[in-house]
Amino acid sequence: MSFSERMKLVPVKQIQKDNIDSVLKHRITNLIEETFDDNQSKFILDIMGYRTISDKNIFTIPVSHGGKNFDKLIATLQNLPWNNLYDIIEYGYSFLKANCEDCTSNCDAIYDEANDEFYPCDYKLQMIEYSESFNCILEQEKSGYRLIDGVISPIIGEIEIACIEEASNTPFSSVNTHLQKALQLYSDRENPDYENSIKESISAVESMCCIITGLSGTQATLGNALKHLEDRGLILHGALKSAFEKMYGYASDTNGIRHGGIDFKNAPAEDAKYMLLSCSAFVNYLIEKYSKMGGNS
């Protein structure tokens, strides 16, 4: 809260959910101008359906030093609706992520012999810094959204954000895919799909359990996998195991989410949020347990 707000000289800024004020718009625009280069701008303009400008020198233009596409993108920002600014933030992250996915090195396994530690590659560091920079502005200006794993999502606590991001970036692609889909379905402002978000959240846990137990085919269900975790040496507290068995039952009985039951056809946002957070936390818990057993993590 600013001095002026504390002294009640100006109204306290409220959470911005359905629009953004001029200050937030200018700060997002400023950061885009500081962060994007001509390659990134060309990529974003193309996604948005704008004509891009060919430049034979495009790959020699340093970050934040302009270029024909960069100049066009900055000019375009001035007249865009507020929601399109959030679209551009997501597009910018996807550009960085595409570079990281094309990288041949193991992003989380670059070894620093001098300090005896592993660290992320430059692309991953750019993605982290990108998210932190935009989230800092969104938090300071009381936006109702945060950038989580490349998706502008309704605001939740910082610990919860970290939990989802950790669970969405595991060494297990099937787990990542389910949680990323769950987050996208939950965060879709125009057409949120809470029912399928819940399905994807539970499927992430199911996938992780099946990786640990080695179950596949018709045997690869969460209910069955939970029963076989102890066979692989992963011991769950009885209450925790029971809680997830009941959660699986909530999703899988004849009236549940996975069977398209009428009772859950219009699953509320709070249910989807709870399942996303709970399943992310459980995935992180299982991976830590699995790692201590000598599993691949």
Side-chain angles (χ1 to χ4, degrees):
M1 185 180 294
S2 69
F3 167 81
S4 298
E5 290 173 330
R6 293 196 306 273
M7 295 297 103
K8 300 183 179 179
L9 300 174
V10 298
V12 175
K13 184 175 288 189
Q14 302 300 310
I15 297 294
Q16 303 186 62
K17 292 189 66 177
D18 297 318
N19 52 42
I20 63 175
D21 62 16
S22 60
V23 175
L24 178 53
K25 181 174 182 178
H26 291 155
R27 292 194 69 188
I28 290 174
T29 302
N30 290 342
L31 187 55
I32 288 173
E33 193 166 356
E34 293 171 10
T35 306
F36 290 10
D37 62 10
D38 208 66
N39 288 313
Q40 204 165 8
S41 300
K42 186 175 188 294
F43 173 84
I44 291 168
L45 287 169
D46 184 62
I47 291 177
M48 296 173 67
Y50 288 89
R51 287 183 59 82
T52 56
I53 303 167
S54 178
D55 189 338
K56 65 180 180 180
N57 296 316
I58 190 170
F59 293 106
T60 65
I61 298 171
V63 172
S64 301
H65 283 74
K68 295 178 181 178
N69 292 292
F70 175 83
D71 292 342
K72 183 172 182 177
L73 176 64
I74 297 304
T76 301
L77 296 179
Q78 308 309 314
N79 299 315
L80 287 177
W82 69 271
N83 52 290
N84 287 144
L85 288 176
Y86 286 151
D87 292 337
I88 288 173
I89 293 173
E90 290 185 340
Y91 298 153
Y93 185 94
S94 67
F95 175 85
L96 297 176
K97 188 172 184 178
N99 281 321
C100 188
E101 289 175 346
D102 288 340
C103 181
T104 56
S105 66
N106 185 336
C107 290
D108 295 313
I110 300 176
Y111 183 60
D112 180 356
E113 187 173 357
N115 295 311
D116 190 27
E117 63 181 7
F118 292 94
Y119 63 93
C121 74
D122 288 342
Y123 287 128
K124 184 62 70 70
L125 287 173
Q126 286 180 41
M127 291 160 63
I128 294 170
E129 292 170 359
Y130 182 93
S131 296
E132 289 177 347
S133 297
F134 277 105
N135 281 334
C136 180
I137 290 175
L138 296 176
E139 180 179 359
Q140 290 173 352
E141 299 304 327
K142 295 190 177 178
S143 167
Y145 303 90
R146 297 290 186 272
L147 182 63
I148 308 175
D149 198 36
V151 179
I152 294 289
S153 306
I155 190 170
I156 52 179
E158 297 301 318
I159 294 176
E160 295 168 333
I161 289 174
C163 177
I164 296 171
E165 287 187 332
E166 181 182 353
S168 300
N169 289 278
T170 74
F172 309 107
S173 60
S174 59
V175 176
N176 299 344
T177 297
H178 285 305
L179 280 177
Q180 288 164 4
K181 284 183 179 178
L183 178 60
Q184 290 166 1
L185 292 166
Y186 170 74
S187 303
D188 189 325
R189 186 175 176 276
E190 296 297 327
N191 296 293
D193 188 344
Y194 301 131
E195 179 181 341
N196 281 309
S197 177
I198 292 172
K199 290 181 185 178
E200 294 293 345
S201 293
I202 294 176
S203 293
V205 175
E206 182 174 76
S207 180
M208 190 64 236
C209 287
C210 288
I211 289 169
I212 295 171
T213 59
L215 295 176
S216 60
T218 57
Q219 297 297 310
T221 66
L222 178 57
N224 199 29
L226 284 169
K227 296 174 182 176
H228 285 80
L229 286 175
E230 291 187 7
D231 296 340
R232 297 299 303 272
L234 197 156
I235 310 299
L236 294 178
H237 187 281
L240 185 60
K241 181 179 178 182
S242 176
F244 267 87
E245 286 175 339
K246 290 176 181 177
M247 187 177 291
Y248 177 68
Y250 155 81
S252 300
D253 65 23
T254 55
N255 287 319
I257 289 287
R258 286 185 166 182
H259 288 93
I262 294 175
D263 290 347
F264 297 99
K265 186 175 182 180
N266 296 309
E270 60 269 23
D271 282 22
K273 177 182 175 182
Y274 173 78
M275 295 298 284
L276 177 58
L277 292 169
S278 296
C279 291
S280 294
F282 194 46
V283 164
N284 292 333
Y285 172 81
L286 288 172
I287 289 175
E288 188 168 350
K289 285 278 194 181
Y290 189 39
S291 177
K292 289 179 179 179
M293 293 165 47
N296 297 322
S297 60

